[in-house]
Amino acid sequence: MKEIKCPAEELLKSIAGKWKPMILRLAIDAPVRFNALLRQLEGSNKQAIATALKELEAEGILTKQTIQLKPLHIEYSLSEKGRKIVPLLQQLEDF
């Protein structure tokens, strides 16, 4: 039998985790940087944030951009797919 995949289940899996929803919430207003996330997400650590960012980027929810200004830094922004998720997350918050 062919397994039927539910789109909602796939979406929830892609944003599940301790830090992913908070990262997305911070990225709504402006691009986020790794060290800023470490400071803002109390109790987080480098490995957990790096993993969450990598997974969100792999899912196409965040885009990674290297800023060539000195000092060189990387910013993460919501992709088009990520912006489509925002209203859904806001509805979950209101629930």
Side-chain angles (χ1 to χ4, degrees), residues 70-90:
K70 295 201 179 203
L72 184 75
H73 59 277
I74 296 173
E75 291 183 342
Y76 295 88
S77 304
L78 288 175
S79 66
E80 185 63 35
K81 181 179 178 180
R83 284 190 288 278
K84 288 179 182 178
I85 294 171
V86 170
L88 300 171
L89 293 174
Q90 289 171 335

Side-chain angles (χ1 to χ4, degrees), residues 5-85:
K5 292 186 178 184
C6 173
E9 183 179 354
E10 295 298 313
L11 172 63
L12 290 172
K13 283 182 182 178
S14 68
I15 61 170
K18 184 172 185 176
W19 304 111
K20 288 180 188 178
M22 291 184 239
I23 291 170
L24 292 174
R25 191 168 217 267
L26 292 170
I28 289 172
D29 298 324
V32 293
R33 294 186 189 179
F34 184 82
N35 285 331
L37 289 172
L38 281 175
R39 287 190 299 273
Q40 291 176 305
L41 300 175
E42 199 169 308
S44 66
N45 61 56
K46 289 180 180 182
Q47 183 179 359
I49 297 301
T51 301
L53 288 169
K54 198 174 290 185
E55 289 174 1
L56 287 168
E57 185 185 4
E59 289 289 335
I61 296 170
L62 288 181
T63 58
K64 180 179 174 179
Q65 182 179 14
T66 302
I67 308 297
Q68 297 295 330
L69 300 174
K70 295 201 179 203
L72 184 75
H73 59 277
I74 296 173
E75 291 183 342
Y76 295 88
S77 304
L78 288 175
S79 66
E80 185 63 35
K81 181 179 178 180
R83 284 190 288 278
K84 288 179 182 178
I85 294 171

